[in-house]
Amino acid sequence: MTQSYLTSITPDSLSGLLFSLEGIRDGIVLLNGPSGCKFYHSSVSDGQMIRSLDFDPLSYPEKWYFGQPHVPCTSIDNGDYVYGSEEKLREILKFLRDNVKFNALFVVNSPGAALIGDDLRGIAESEIKDRPVIIYESPGFSENMPKGHTRAFDALIPYIKKNNDVKDSCHSHIGNCHAEDYSRKTSVKGVHQKKVNILGLGLWRRNFQGDVEEIKRLCEMMGVRVNCMLMAGCYWREICSLKDADLNIVIAPEFGVKIAETLKELGGTEYYICESQPVGFKATELWAKEICKILALPNPRRIIEESEKIRARCYPLISRLNSLTGLPTGHPFAVEGRYSEALGYCKFLLEYFGMTPDSISILDKDMDYSKNALENFLSAYGVKSALEKQIMDTDGEIVLACGNTIGALKLKGTDFGGIDISLPALGYIDVIPKTHLGLSGAALLVELILNGLRF
C-alpha cells in the first residue's frame, strides 16, 4: 500500500527548534522569516504556555506579532531575499530591547532566510549588548523535530560552560551509573539534596504541563530536587546551572540522549535513560527504583505505596468490566509515535490489560535508540508483525495517536476509542493538567481505555 502523503506529515527541525526555545519562559524567540512560518508555531506555543487571555489581534498589535504573543517575526518578503533583511531585523531588535522584558534572545533563521547570508550575530549583538543573544543561522534542512531540539541545545553550550567557574563545589557528580561508586564519591560534609535535570520533555507533547508536574511530583516523593526541566518551561538561569545537577534523567531518548552525552562531556554528569517512557505502574516503579539506586537514595517507598493504592482502585473496575464483556483482554490496539513512546504504551496495554497490538506506526524512524527494545519486546509475545501494519489500516479498538490520525480514521467510519497522545490534539480543553506519565498517567490511561472500549 502507498502511504497517503497527508498521514506522513510530521514536524520538522524548524518546529523542534522553535518549540524547544519557546519552552524557556524568560526568553524571546525571534523568527527571521516570512509570516507563514510563524503562525502555527506561535499558536501551538500559546496553547501550551498561555500568554494571552483572548484572541483579539489588538492585544498584540505590533506588526511583528500579528496578534499572537509568541514568536515575533520579521516577515521578510521577496525584496528581502534579494537585498537582505538587516533593516527589518534592526527595527524589531530595537523594539524588543526597549519594550519587552527578557533574559535571553534567540534569533532563528527560517529555511529560506538561511540562504540570504545576513550577518545575524553582528546585527543582533550591535543592538542588544546587555543580554545573551543566541543565533541559529540554519534550522536544519529536512531534518526531523528531535534533531531540531538538539540543535536548539547545542547553541546554549557556551553559556553552560561559562557557569563552570561559579559552580557550587559541594555538588559532586556521578562518575558512572553504579550507586555504590557514587556513594564513595560523596563526602559526608558535602551532603545535600540530590538534584537532577529532566531531558526530553517540551511544548510539542500533548500533555506538556501535566508531564512536567508529574515528573516533578515523583522526584519530590523520592527526595530529589529538579534543577532544570530543560526547555520545558524552564528559566534561563536554570539552563546556565545545568552542570550543577547530580544526574540527568532522559525521559524521551529521541530528544535527550545527545544532550545527555554532551552534558557528560562538559561536566562529567552521568545520565539515566528511560528506554521506554515511564508509562504505567510497573514502568514508573522501575524508573523510580533505578534512579534511587543511582543516587544512593532509599527505596522510593512513597511511590510504591501510592502505586499499590491506585492499582487497588483500578483492579475492581477492570475486573467487573471483564466479567460482563470480556474487555479489555485480547482486544486489539494501535499506537502511533516514536520508538520510546510506542514501547511505553505497548508494555502497559499488553502486560497490564492483556490487549494485543494490531498496528504500531513509528515516527522519525532514524531516531532508533529504543528500536531494539521494542522489537525484542514484541517478539517475546509473538506480535512483532504489528510493526508492519499501517495505522490507517488498523482494526484496533483503542487507537493512541495524534488528533489528525484519529480524525482520519473516524472519517473512514472506523469504530474505535481514540486517545490523542501527541499534537495536534483533538481539541479537548484540559482544565486539570493531564499526563500519561507516572502514576497519575497510569490512572488516567486506565480510565480512558476502559471508557474508550465501552463507548
Side-chain angles (χ1 to χ4, degrees):
M1 171 185 169
T2 301
Q3 190 174 3
S4 167
Y5 176 71
L6 289 178
T7 62
S8 303
I9 296 175
T10 55
D12 63 4
S13 179
L14 175 64
S15 296
L17 188 57
L18 294 177
F19 289 145
S20 299
L21 297 175
E22 277 291 327
I24 303 171
R25 292 185 181 274
D26 53 348
I28 291 182
V29 183
L30 169 59
L31 177 62
N32 184 42
S35 57
C37 292
K38 162 197 164 55
F39 291 118
Y40 171 74
H41 299 102
S42 181
S43 177
V44 171
S45 298
D46 198 47
Q48 299 290 64
M49 292 201 309
I50 296 175
R51 289 179 184 168
S52 178
L53 299 179
D54 54 45
F55 293 104
D56 185 352
L58 296 180
S59 296
Y60 287 84
E62 296 82 8
K63 61 182 179 180
W64 307 283
Y65 284 90
F66 295 89
Q68 296 177 304
H70 294 259
V71 196
C73 171
T74 54
S75 188
I76 62 177
D77 53 28
N78 293 343
D80 300 313
Y81 282 102
V82 178
Y83 300 106
S85 57
E86 179 175 353
E87 183 179 344
K88 288 184 175 180
L89 273 169
R90 289 193 181 280
E91 185 181 17
I92 187 173
L93 287 168
K94 291 175 181 177
F95 171 82
L96 295 174
R97 179 193 65 200
D98 298 337
N99 296 278
V100 182
K101 293 181 179 180
F102 61 92
N103 286 325
L105 175 68
F106 309 98
V107 183
V108 180
N109 260 339
S110 70
L115 303 175
I116 298 175
D118 283 321
D119 180 15
L120 294 188
R121 184 171 303 280
I123 296 169
E125 291 182 348
S126 68
E127 298 293 346
I128 299 177
K129 302 178 181 179
D130 59 341
R131 282 158 286 187
V133 177
I134 297 90
I135 304 297
Y136 296 88
E137 296 282 357
S138 170
F141 298 100
S142 301
E143 293 180 337
N144 57 38
M145 187 162 70
K147 291 182 179 178
H149 177 72
T150 303
R151 185 182 291 267
F153 171 81
D154 287 344
L156 308 180
I157 292 174
Y159 299 91
I160 300 169
K161 285 182 176 179
K162 287 179 183 178
N163 192 51
N164 189 48
D165 296 333
V166 296
K167 180 181 165 185
D168 190 338
S169 59
C170 77
H171 292 173
S172 59
H173 295 284
I174 300 175
N176 54 57
C177 263
H178 298 290
E180 56 271 21
D181 292 332
Y182 176 74
S183 61
R184 288 197 296 267
K185 292 185 178 185
T186 306
S187 66
V188 175
K189 293 182 179 180
V191 171
H192 65 283
Q193 185 180 24
K194 304 299 189 297
K195 296 196 295 185
V196 298
N197 298 319
I198 305 298
L199 314 179
L201 299 181
L203 270 64
W204 60 84
R205 294 178 67 93
R206 162 67 176 85
N207 299 303
F208 152 69
Q209 290 187 5
D211 291 346
V212 168
E213 290 182 10
E214 178 67 1
I215 295 299
K216 283 185 175 180
R217 186 180 76 90
L218 293 174
C219 286
E220 289 172 1
M221 293 173 72
M222 291 185 284
V224 173
R225 173 186 164 194
V226 174
N227 180 59
C228 179
M229 194 74 68
L230 181 60
M231 293 186 283
C234 69
Y235 292 90
W236 179 249
R237 67 176 185 275
E238 294 172 341
I239 289 176
C240 293
S241 68
L242 275 168
K243 293 172 66 178
D244 292 345
D246 298 290
L247 181 69
N248 291 316
I249 300 174
V250 180
I251 301 294
E254 296 86 357
F255 290 88
V257 168
K258 295 293 185 183
I259 294 173
E261 291 172 349
T262 300
L263 287 172
K264 184 177 181 181
E265 292 174 2
L266 291 177
T269 312
E270 191 52 74
Y271 54 89
Y272 168 72
I273 302 172
C274 303
E275 192 171 52
S276 68
Q277 297 186 22
V279 176
F281 303 110
K282 180 180 177 181
T284 301
E285 292 170 11
L286 178 62
W287 177 82
K289 288 177 180 178
E290 290 185 345
I291 290 172
C292 285
K293 181 179 179 181
I294 293 170
L295 293 174
L297 294 171
N299 211 38
R301 178 180 53 83
R302 291 176 59 195
I303 291 177
I304 303 302
E305 290 177 353
E306 181 174 312
S307 179
E308 291 173 349
K309 289 179 181 179
I310 299 175
R311 285 175 185 258
R313 170 62 181 161
C314 293
Y315 177 76
L317 301 176
I318 298 172
S319 179
R320 286 164 63 90
L321 178 64
N322 182 262
S323 68
L324 287 174
T325 66
L327 298 169
T329 306
H331 287 254
F333 69 90
V335 180
E336 177 189 64
R338 297 175 182 88
Y339 281 110
S340 66
E341 292 174 303
L343 180 57
Y345 285 110
C346 283
K347 281 187 173 182
F348 189 43
L349 270 69
L350 200 156
E351 294 183 336
Y352 183 76
F353 291 97
M355 300 180 70
T356 57
D358 176 69
S359 169
I360 302 172
S361 183
I362 301 299
L363 305 176
D364 298 330
K365 291 184 178 181
D366 57 326
M367 310 301 290
D368 58 359
Y369 180 86
S370 301
K371 178 181 178 180
N372 289 338
L374 176 61
E375 291 181 347
N376 292 338
F377 173 78
L378 296 174
S379 295
Y381 285 93
V383 290
K384 187 178 177 182
S385 59
L387 287 166
E388 301 171 4
K389 189 173 184 178
Q390 296 291 342
I391 197 165
M392 294 307 296
D393 300 323
T394 186
D395 298 309
E397 296 177 32
I398 290 291
V399 175
L400 302 104
C402 72
N404 280 355
T405 297
I406 293 172
L409 284 168
K410 290 290 186 182
L411 288 174
K412 291 178 62 178
T414 310
D415 185 18
F416 66 93
I419 301 175
D420 50 341
I421 64 173
S422 59
L423 297 177
L426 291 170
Y428 188 88
I429 297 174
D430 293 311
V431 177
I432 301 173
K434 308 295 195 304
T435 183
H436 293 168
L437 301 179
L439 302 179
S440 300
L444 176 62
L445 280 171
V446 171
E447 178 179 309
L448 292 174
I449 289 168
L450 295 186
N451 285 290
L453 290 168
R454 291 180 63 203
F455 302 107

